[in-house]
Amino acid sequence: MDVILFTFFGLVAIVGAVSLVIQKHPISSALSLVSVMVALSVLFLLLGAEFIAAAQLVVYSGAIMVLFVFVIMLLNAGAERESRKAGLAQFLGLPLTAVLLVFASYVITQSMSNAKAVKFGAFTGGGPREVGWALFTQYLLPFEVTSILILVAIAGAVVLARKEID
Amino acid sequence: MLSEALLENETIAGLVAAHPTAVLGGVTQFDEITLTIEPGEIVATLAYLKYHQKFDRLSTVTAVDRYPLDPRFEIVYHLQSVGRNVRLRLRASVATEIASATIVYSGANWYEREVFDLFGVVFTGHPNLERIMMPDDWKGHPLRRDFPTHGFKYSYGEQQ
Amino acid sequence: MSETIVEHQESEAGTTRRMTLNMGPQHPSTHGVLRVVLELDGEFIQKARPEIGYLHTGIEKQCEALNWQQIITLTDRVDYLANLSNNLCYSLAVEKLLGLEIPPKAQWMRVLLAELTRIGSHLVWLGTHALDMGAMTMFFLTFREREELMKLFEMISGQRLMTSYIRIGGLALDPPRGWEKLVRAFLADFPSKIDEYETLLNNNPIWLRRTKGIGVISVESMLDVGITGPVIRAAGIPLDARKMTPYSSYEKFDFAVPTSTDNDVYARYAVRVAEMRESLKIVQQAMDGMPEGPTRADAHRLVLPEREKMKTQMEALIYHFKIVTEGIAVPEGEVFQVVESPRGELGYYVVSDGTAKPLRVHMRTPSFGNLQGLPRLIENRQIADAIAVMGSLDFVLGDCDR
Amino acid sequence: MSQLLPPGFFTATVPLNAYLILSAILFAIGACGFLFRKNIITIYMCIELMLNAVNLSFVTFSYQFGKVDGQIYSFFVMVVAAAEAAVGLAIILTIFRNRGTLQIDEIDSLKN
Amino acid sequence: MDFILLSILKTAIAAPVLLGTLAYLVWIERKVLAHVQLRIGPSRVGPHGLLQPIADAIKLLTKEDFIPSYVNKFYYWLAPWLALMFAVTAISVIPIGPVVEVFGIKTNMGQADISIGLLLILGLTGMGVYGIALAGWSSNNKYSLLGGLRSSAQMIAYELPMAMAIVSPLLIVNTLNLREIVNAQAGYTFGILPNWNVLGGGLQIFSFIIYLICAFAETNRIPFDLPEAENELVSGYNTEYSSMKFAAFFMAEYCNIITACSVATTLFLGGWHPIIPNELGGQFIPTLVCVFFAGVLFYHALNPSRPSDRLSMGAIGAVILGLGLMFQVPGVKDLAQPLFWFASKAGFLIFFFIWVRGTVPRFRYDQLMRFAWLFLFPAALLNLLVTAFIVALKSN
């Protein structure tokens, strides 16, 4: 069961990610990203991170991506135009990312030799209670700092998005 | 040209004093006063009536086609003073064009467009003189007396 | 709609984005076939351009081809929600040209019917206006009462909408037996129904938020553009032809002209509801003081004889034949008759050249003038406000386009 | 039903490395998109994709060590992403309002 | 294995029931709305229009599936099914009864029983907006686009106070599992007043009201039906839709109403717990209600207003009487009674939704936004703070 679910949603994530990169229209890209996020949230569930999986759905795909779609629709951004290429990135980009990928995979397989096999339900430390407990004890300071960050971000967004008074 | 009775009316006396050449004639029928105005002075007359005699409303602008006569069109203005509760009708005979009253009463806009559309009278100085009732590509002016009631044979497909 | 949906427009200040939205001619809240071309910036209307003429039926042209008495049926179709006001206005104009004296009973009946028409028209307005704002139950409530009125009109004239009941020289028929009972039943019933509407709307915070302070322009601007009727009365000007130039013995009735100074959509609503109550008062007075007598003027050359007389008297038959085939000759002259229709100042400018057909019949219709003010009322407002304002103007496109 | 399928079909497990490699693949795709795309919103979404890939590895490590800390980190990543999206989209909105385009190679100059 | 088979079995039972409920919800809405508005409502197809939903379904299925030439075909096709999929999935975690034993198998009444049920519902309903936004965008119609934009903004604005309103009772029940939430509300204060969050235990009446208002907005119901305000935007996001695609949107909307009402029932109204303790006769109420309705129907069968009523009213009355007796049959009782209580509470809320639709006008767009951010959000925040304070005091 684990294998089936992992393979299926892993493939969905990869296809979605590729589609995000190659689709020309921002709306298509945004929806591809949503599918990646939904697939990832299922993978989170498999890894026993229940709360994070739900947060992924609520925060990422339910709020952030809705905002993206909203902005794309509001601007009625059309399909991307072919334009002059950025030279260096164009020629070195693909090889370099390939190298990065290979290197990362190598490091992972080498260094994580003692890795567990993932079994759904084996790890249950990711429920809302555990996450909440960790957040409000060990990580209280970072949590508060993040809330201030959000506050600042809201203020910044409001200032930026306000229409110029002319 | 104006009868004594009409000249006793303050409004008309004032108008004649201010614009002596404007008023060509006047008549009272069914308690309604009609003044015939020199077409060239229509805007000045309307402005005087609005700003000095408190005729704050232009009720309607329309036209009457006296076909065989020349000039054939009578442009008719109905004014009302809300405060004084008086109505006044102005009439100007024109052949093809007259100055637009929209400078004085902006409400004349659609009425003049309608007259232009249905009679073909051109209002010079009108901000947006387009057809209002008939389609934009309509030929002819339906309310003219020489336009038959059943219309000319007309269809969108066959027009040249 | 097949072109790209957003048009970019470069304004002087920089790049602002506007969208052109075609509201109508088929749109749920343009009440018929009005088309308003809106230029939108987000939800805000930057520019509005009403386009009319989709219901242009050429009534004014047809009038020139028909006999004087045949035109009555056309006037019904001008403002189909206030047909009797149009009948009345035209009849009064022609009667003025003819110098006809109308018997008192006919005059009182005319007042009664005109006021019932006003109530009926306001009911349609209230229902559709509330429906536009999303309060759809109102629509069914007002149409329930309107149905009673429709039954009454049908009883009196045989028609629900195009009654053509008011004719040159009086009324088409004597009112049938038993109609008083119907009117009295309506009179007894209706005040509580108005209370019902008010309980549903007056205390509704959403309704108040949607209507208060919306659609305000200066009184001078309204006069200038040609807005009349309840809209301008809600701006504080008691412009009402029934009081200013009484016709059909309105001067003998005791009624008030409701006004308000708030000048917003809510004020227009309040004024119209108050008008319904005033109209009820007039109807009550007309019912109580209805004079006895004929309902048609005694002018055998101009008014069709009674059916019974026509069948028994040779002379009456001849006049009937002559009136029907040749029409009536109306003396030369011109007249501008104004009545207060439910929507505002309704004026018929009738010119006769002495023949059996009019030279010109021009209708100064309230909807035309009111609609002309629409851009000023809705520009720099939101779409939702435009809906509220359009509802508050209460235009009828038949009335506007003729 | 269980007779028709190979034994252990429902009980087979996935090696943890597979999750990490998936995360690396997603990150690499995101980086590619970041380099190649021209539309500023799409670039933004590629960054979000990379953040998501990192989240996945955080959660996987959390599983590996049997601790909740990795998930807490990915929670913080999410929160920061939300803040970033709000500000970033506001910036995009402003840019579009001033320049009328979303192509990054057309908005590379400081002046219009 | 058992788990999978059981899930399939449950789905096989639940799917047709859900579809039937949806179809008859439309009938109920039309009927109730009609009576609010002095009309009769559907009455031609079958007795009292009872077969109307079937006729509607056939009509929608056989209607031409018109696709305008200028739409973005893929997303135009995808949008309604996306909306429906998320709406239906969200229902799956709602428990409609306690854990029961049927044919020797112990299972909970409800599709899934997961520890983050409530969060999942929030997530899935939040995803539902994609259907609407996509429909608005892909239709390539200005009215649709405005509807889609309004919908996205509205969803984001109302999700926040809604989440806050949900968190307050969560502080009291201390779990995210919906079944445990309901179980935490079992019991009665002074033996008579139910321990529901809205009344007894937590006194969460304000959270309940805020949640209900947000639910109206989230399900696009009047007075918050701006995404499809027919008097402004013709029909908003679904202007260009017809046939089954339109039906999918329609069903999604009703699904969302059911979800919202069920969540309210679960969180605030004690789920399947009866309003009167079973010891005091609570278990006889379902039967009594059914007997009452059957009596009304029999009365109409004896005094028919139409000849056909004699048969139809009698038959329906008999069915309802039979149902009422079922509530007392020992084996069925444990299954049927919770179902009755859950359905009647959720049903009352749905009735409230319809009632409001027949009564109030709609907000203006900016008023709606202002209402969310300037009133609802602070109110929800304050409510949350007060609740947290109370909970902290109690635990000390």
Side-chain angles (χ1 to χ4, degrees):
Chain A
M1 204 65 208
D2 271 297
V3 178
I4 304 170
L5 288 174
F6 174 76
T7 319
F8 180 73
F9 285 103
L11 278 179
V12 168
I14 292 174
V15 169
V18 170
S19 155
L20 156 67
V21 174
I22 61 171
Q23 290 280 358
K24 281 282 166 252
H25 203 286
I27 283 263
S28 312
S29 297
L31 288 167
S32 312
L33 188 52
V34 173
S35 69
V36 176
M37 283 165 176
V38 173
L40 282 185
S41 103
V42 177
L43 294 179
F44 289 168
L45 264 185
L46 285 180
L47 288 167
E50 288 175 350
F51 180 76
I52 296 298
Q56 170 93 354
L57 268 191
V58 177
V59 178
Y60 252 129
S61 37
I64 298 182
M65 287 317 290
V66 172
L67 205 60
F68 267 96
V69 170
F70 180 77
V71 168
I72 295 171
M73 275 167 52
L74 189 74
L75 300 181
N76 196 43
E80 187 176 312
R81 289 188 300 276
E82 280 300 320
S83 56
R84 65 193 162 84
K85 314 281 183 193
L88 198 62
Q90 194 64 38
F91 292 116
L92 291 179
L94 210 54
L96 278 182
T97 38
V99 167
L100 172 77
L101 181 56
V102 169
F103 181 69
S105 312
Y106 176 76
V107 169
I108 288 164
T109 41
Q110 287 302 307
S111 63
M112 298 288 290
S113 50
N114 62 340
K116 293 176 183 172
V118 179
K119 176 98 181 70
F120 177 54
F123 173 61
T124 51
R129 188 165 284 129
E130 291 80 6
V131 172
W133 190 258
L135 264 186
F136 290 108
T137 53
Q138 196 182 348
Y139 292 96
L140 186 60
L141 184 67
F143 183 78
E144 295 297 337
V145 172
T146 338
S147 31
I148 290 169
L149 174 78
I150 290 236
L151 193 66
V152 173
I154 292 173
V158 168
V159 170
L160 278 171
R162 244 176 46 190
K163 283 188 179 168
E164 312 87 78
I165 301 144
D166 42 12
Chain B
M1 269 182 283
L2 288 168
S3 63
E4 291 295 320
L6 272 178
L7 278 173
E8 276 170 25
N9 186 316
E10 268 176 51
T11 310
I12 299 168
L15 178 62
V16 171
H19 298 280
T21 52
V23 186
L24 298 179
V27 65
T28 308
Q29 190 185 17
F30 312 115
D31 292 335
E32 296 175 17
I33 302 170
T34 311
L35 296 180
T36 312
I37 307 291
E38 161 68 33
E41 303 231 25
I42 190 73
V43 175
T45 311
L46 287 171
Y48 171 79
L49 289 173
K50 180 176 181 181
Y51 298 119
H52 297 280
Q53 298 289 346
K54 291 207 172 78
F55 279 90
D56 37 14
R57 277 194 68 231
L58 177 67
S59 185
T60 173
V61 179
T62 186
V64 182
D65 184 9
R66 309 252 180 198
Y67 172 45
L69 297 182
D70 190 52
R72 66 189 277 189
F73 298 113
E74 278 173 6
I75 310 296
V76 183
Y77 300 80
H78 286 100
L79 302 179
Q80 186 190 15
S81 167
V82 177
R84 289 163 53 200
N85 191 14
V86 219
R87 283 177 183 276
L88 183 64
R89 182 186 304 137
L90 305 182
R91 181 173 16 193
S93 295
V94 294
T96 52
E97 65 173 53
I98 188 169
S100 167
T102 44
I103 310 164
V104 186
Y105 297 100
S106 52
N109 191 325
W110 279 18
Y111 289 105
E112 291 184 348
R113 275 177 73 186
E114 192 189 355
V115 171
F116 164 73
D117 186 1
L118 303 178
F119 288 93
V121 178
V122 176
F123 290 86
T124 52
H126 190 284
N128 178 30
L129 200 61
E130 287 172 8
R131 288 200 181 268
I132 185 167
M133 295 293 181
M134 309 303 288
D136 284 343
D137 52 353
W138 186 268
K139 298 230 164 41
H141 301 282
L143 268 182
R144 289 188 174 187
R145 299 290 284 183
D146 47 359
F147 191 99
T149 312
H150 50 79
F152 297 109
K153 274 221 162 143
Y154 180 90
S155 75
Y156 288 93
E158 292 162 19
Q159 72 199 48
Q160 343 68 345
Chain C
M1 284 303 225
S2 56
E3 77 271 35
T4 52
I5 52 174
V6 174
E7 289 145 29
H8 299 260
Q9 290 198 342
E10 305 280 323
S11 74
E12 312 83 48
T15 50
T16 53
R17 302 170 44 75
R18 285 185 179 181
M19 180 164 116
T20 307
L21 186 71
N22 222 338
M23 201 164 176
Q26 281 121 18
H27 186 279
S29 51
T30 53
H31 298 246
V33 285
L34 171 68
R35 173 177 163 221
V36 190
V37 182
L38 301 174
E39 253 177 46
L40 299 179
D41 177 16
E43 293 255 337
F44 281 86
I45 297 168
Q46 299 290 325
K47 242 178 136 178
R49 187 160 50 89
E51 293 272 326
I52 58 168
Y54 290 91
L55 206 58
H56 179 59
T57 42
I59 286 178
E60 289 182 9
K61 181 73 181 171
Q62 286 182 59
C63 288
E64 294 170 13
L66 294 178
N67 287 340
W68 287 97
Q69 72 272 34
Q70 288 173 313
I71 292 169
I72 292 283
T73 53
L74 293 180
T75 60
D76 278 325
R77 280 138 181 95
V78 172
D79 181 353
Y80 35 79
L81 292 182
N83 54 326
L84 283 161
S85 300
N86 279 272
N87 287 172
L88 176 61
C89 189
Y90 175 73
S91 304
L92 285 173
V94 179
E95 282 155 11
K96 220 184 227 180
L97 280 172
L98 288 165
L100 264 183
E101 191 63 37
I102 306 303
K105 181 169 184 187
Q107 289 198 16
W108 286 57
M109 276 299 288
R110 285 175 170 191
V111 168
L112 186 147
L113 289 166
E115 292 308 316
L116 287 179
T117 309
R118 188 182 316 279
I119 294 174
S121 169
H122 281 357
L123 284 175
V124 175
W125 160 79
L126 184 55
T128 52
H129 185 38
L131 182 69
D132 283 348
M133 313 277 244
M136 49 171 144
T137 301
M138 212 54 211
F139 185 73
F140 295 97
L141 293 181
T142 57
F143 268 62
R144 169 187 63 186
E145 271 72 70
R146 182 166 181 265
E147 189 57 32
E148 299 302 313
L149 285 175
M150 288 286 119
K151 278 183 196 154
L152 182 73
F153 289 148
E154 189 181 7
M155 183 178 192
I156 270 184
S157 70
Q159 282 268 28
R160 283 162 62 89
L161 268 177
M162 306 298 165
T163 50
S164 298
Y165 187 62
I166 298 174
R167 302 276 171 89
I168 299 168
L171 303 174
L173 303 156
D174 279 341
R177 265 173 301 169
W179 70 278
E180 297 102 327
K181 229 164 75 187
L182 230 64
V183 180
R184 289 208 187 273
F186 180 77
L187 276 175
D189 202 28
F190 192 56
S192 66
K193 297 293 164 60
I194 302 182
D195 295 341
E196 196 179 333
Y197 309 149
E198 289 194 320
T199 45
L200 206 57
L201 293 179
N202 278 9
N203 299 319
N204 189 323
I206 304 179
W207 175 260
L208 294 181
R209 275 190 187 201
R210 286 293 304 275
T211 52
K212 286 229 165 175
I214 308 295
V216 183
I217 55 169
S218 70
V219 180
E220 290 74 31
S221 202
M222 279 190 177
L223 277 172
D224 193 34
V225 162
I227 290 174
T228 52
V231 183
I232 205 159
R233 288 199 283 276
I237 295 189
L239 181 71
D240 189 329
R242 293 177 294 175
K243 280 278 187 215
M244 291 174 81
T245 47
Y247 50 90
S248 198
S249 59
Y250 257 110
E251 68 276 7
K252 291 175 187 151
F253 290 87
D254 172 35
F255 64 98
V257 176
T259 54
S260 163
T261 48
D262 291 346
N263 197 0
D264 55 5
V265 173
Y266 185 81
R268 288 162 209 159
Y269 154 76
V271 162
R272 285 199 179 93
V273 171
E275 261 178 32
M276 286 203 261
R277 293 190 198 277
E278 291 301 320
S279 292
L280 268 188
K281 257 163 72 183
I282 299 175
V283 173
Q284 185 71 55
Q285 290 169 41
M287 287 300 294
D288 292 344
M290 181 72 69
E292 286 302 311
T295 55
R296 274 185 268 186
D298 183 23
H300 48 268
R301 282 174 191 279
L302 304 171
V303 181
L304 284 179
E306 279 170 32
R307 206 78 192 151
E308 203 50 44
K309 266 190 193 164
M310 192 191 86
K311 286 177 185 162
T312 51
Q313 298 176 8
M314 191 62 199
E315 200 183 3
L317 184 63
I318 292 170
Y319 279 126
H320 184 275
F321 183 76
K322 277 181 77 95
I323 291 173
V324 169
T325 52
E326 290 174 6
I328 49 177
V330 172
E332 211 175 319
E334 58 190 331
V335 68
F336 185 61
Q337 173 66 43
V338 172
V339 305
E340 190 65 22
S341 108
R343 265 157 271 288
E345 183 195 75
L346 175 67
Y348 271 61
Y349 174 58
V350 180
V351 185
S352 167
D353 55 357
T355 60
K357 289 174 183 172
L359 179 71
R360 174 94 173 97
V361 178
H362 170 71
M363 295 137 189
R364 189 272 171 222
T365 50
S367 299
F368 194 77
N370 289 0
L371 204 50
Q372 198 175 180
L374 184 67
R376 295 195 194 189
L377 282 159
I378 65 176
E379 273 169 14
N380 300 320
R381 283 280 180 182
Q382 296 182 39
I383 302 180
D385 285 339
I387 306 294
V389 169
M390 276 198 251
S392 77
L393 285 182
D394 184 26
F395 46 79
V396 165
L397 267 300
D399 191 33
C400 179
D401 291 354
R402 308 186 295 286
Chain D
M1 202 152 96
S2 43
Q3 280 81 19
L4 297 174
L5 295 165
F9 184 81
F10 287 104
T11 49
T13 52
V14 187
L16 194 80
N17 289 351
Y19 282 90
L20 291 175
I21 290 174
L22 177 67
S23 154
I25 293 172
L26 291 180
F27 189 89
I29 296 175
C32 268
F34 181 77
L35 290 176
F36 293 144
R37 294 306 298 266
K38 293 282 177 284
N39 190 313
I40 192 165
I41 293 183
T42 319
I43 290 173
Y44 223 131
M45 288 192 284
C46 288
I47 298 176
E48 297 289 337
L49 176 63
M50 290 195 275
L51 287 176
N52 262 286
V54 171
N55 269 357
L56 179 59
S57 54
F58 271 135
V59 173
T60 315
F61 285 129
S62 158
Y63 185 92
Q64 162 77 13
F65 299 116
K67 280 184 177 173
V68 80
D69 302 50
Q71 296 181 17
I72 300 291
Y73 277 109
S74 68
F75 177 79
F76 282 133
V77 170
M78 256 181 227
V79 173
V80 173
E84 171 216 322
V87 178
L89 286 173
I91 292 175
I92 291 178
L93 217 63
T94 319
I95 288 177
F96 190 79
R97 204 177 281 146
N98 290 330
R99 302 288 176 91
T101 180
L102 290 175
Q103 301 277 106
I104 40 163
D105 42 10
E106 289 172 22
I107 40 185
D108 51 0
S109 56
L110 285 173
K111 279 192 194 169
N112 262 336
Chain E
M1 263 320 291
D2 276 353
F3 170 73
I4 296 173
L5 276 181
L6 200 61
S7 293
I8 292 172
L9 193 70
K10 276 185 192 172
T11 314
I13 299 171
V17 171
L18 180 65
L19 274 179
T21 316
L22 283 180
Y24 276 89
L25 195 55
V26 178
W27 177 83
I28 288 168
E29 161 136 36
R30 288 174 68 177
K31 213 64 181 167
V32 171
L33 204 57
H35 283 285
V36 168
Q37 297 169 341
L38 315 160
R39 296 182 286 128
I40 300 170
S43 60
R44 293 297 166 117
V45 193
H48 295 268
L50 270 172
L51 301 179
Q52 185 72 39
I54 297 163
D56 281 347
I58 293 170
K59 182 196 77 177
L60 285 167
L61 277 168
T62 52
K63 232 177 182 179
E64 186 196 348
D65 191 3
F66 180 74
I67 299 177
S69 58
Y70 44 81
V71 299
N72 188 328
K73 295 240 167 33
F74 177 68
Y75 294 120
Y76 179 80
W77 174 87
L78 181 70
W81 303 115
L82 213 57
L84 184 60
M85 192 181 83
F86 288 123
V88 173
T89 319
I91 289 186
S92 67
V93 290
I94 291 165
I96 48 175
V99 174
V100 288
E101 203 172 321
V102 188
F103 305 123
I105 305 164
K106 258 185 122 118
T107 180
N108 67 313
M109 289 173 72
Q111 279 289 310
D113 180 22
I114 54 175
S115 60
I116 49 159
L118 199 59
L119 280 179
L120 194 75
I121 289 180
L122 271 185
L124 287 171
T125 47
M127 298 284 286
V129 70
Y130 282 111
I132 292 172
L134 264 189
W137 179 78
S138 68
S139 292
N140 204 3
N141 174 318
K142 292 171 194 178
Y143 291 114
S144 301
L145 184 70
L146 281 175
L149 280 175
R150 281 179 172 191
S151 174
S152 332
Q154 185 173 322
M155 283 275 183
I156 295 175
Y158 279 86
E159 200 122 276
L160 231 64
M162 184 170 185
M164 296 232 172
I166 286 176
V167 168
S168 309
L170 288 185
L171 286 177
I172 293 163
V173 297
N174 221 348
T175 173
L176 280 169
N177 181 317
L178 288 163
R179 195 166 44 78
E180 287 170 22
I181 291 173
V182 175
N183 281 336
Q185 300 175 59
Y188 301 86
T189 318
F190 313 125
I192 180 79
L193 196 66
N195 263 345
W196 301 352
N197 279 335
V198 71
L199 297 171
L203 202 68
Q204 285 297 313
I205 185 88
F206 296 109
S207 315
F208 181 61
I209 292 169
I210 293 171
Y211 173 82
L212 220 52
I213 294 173
C214 295
F216 273 100
E218 292 271 309
T219 51
N220 295 333
R221 295 283 295 189
I222 239 167
F224 303 103
D225 68 335
L226 286 136
E228 46 183 322
E230 73 269 14
N231 304 95
E232 293 160 33
L233 301 181
V234 186
S235 190
Y237 60 88
N238 56 26
T239 305
E240 298 285 346
Y241 280 88
S242 58
S243 178
M244 257 337 264
K245 294 202 190 72
F246 172 75
F249 273 126
F250 210 66
M251 278 153 69
E253 186 181 327
Y254 282 89
C255 250
N256 282 331
I257 294 171
I258 292 180
T259 314
C261 292
S262 305
V263 170
T265 309
T266 314
L267 268 179
F268 299 101
L269 299 182
W272 58 79
H273 294 301
I275 194 164
I276 297 172
N278 277 341
E279 301 81 60
L280 295 178
Q283 55 182 328
F284 297 112
I285 288 181
T287 312
L288 285 178
V289 169
C290 286
V291 168
F292 172 74
F293 278 116
V296 171
L297 285 168
F298 284 141
Y299 172 79
H300 282 291
L302 292 176
N303 309 292
S305 53
R306 287 179 302 189
S308 62
D309 278 2
R310 193 176 287 279
L311 193 67
S312 62
M313 292 283 202
I316 300 170
V319 169
I320 290 181
L321 194 63
L323 270 179
L325 294 176
M326 291 269 276
F327 286 122
Q328 301 307 327
V329 178
V332 187
K333 188 177 162 183
D334 297 340
L335 212 66
Q337 290 236 359
L339 210 59
F340 171 84
W341 285 110
F342 190 88
S344 50
K345 285 173 195 172
F348 173 75
L349 288 178
I350 291 172
F351 172 77
F352 180 70
F353 269 59
I354 303 170
W355 184 13
V356 167
R357 185 180 171 194
T359 314
V360 296
R362 109 172 29 92
F363 272 107
R364 204 173 66 200
Y365 183 63
D366 63 326
Q367 291 170 350
L368 173 111
M369 283 296 163
R370 206 163 292 154
F371 185 67
W373 291 111
L374 295 186
F375 172 73
L376 224 48
F377 184 59
L381 208 59
L382 193 71
N383 178 49
L384 181 60
L385 275 178
V386 171
T387 312
F389 193 64
I390 292 171
V391 170
L393 273 187
K394 267 189 185 170
S395 63
N396 277 347

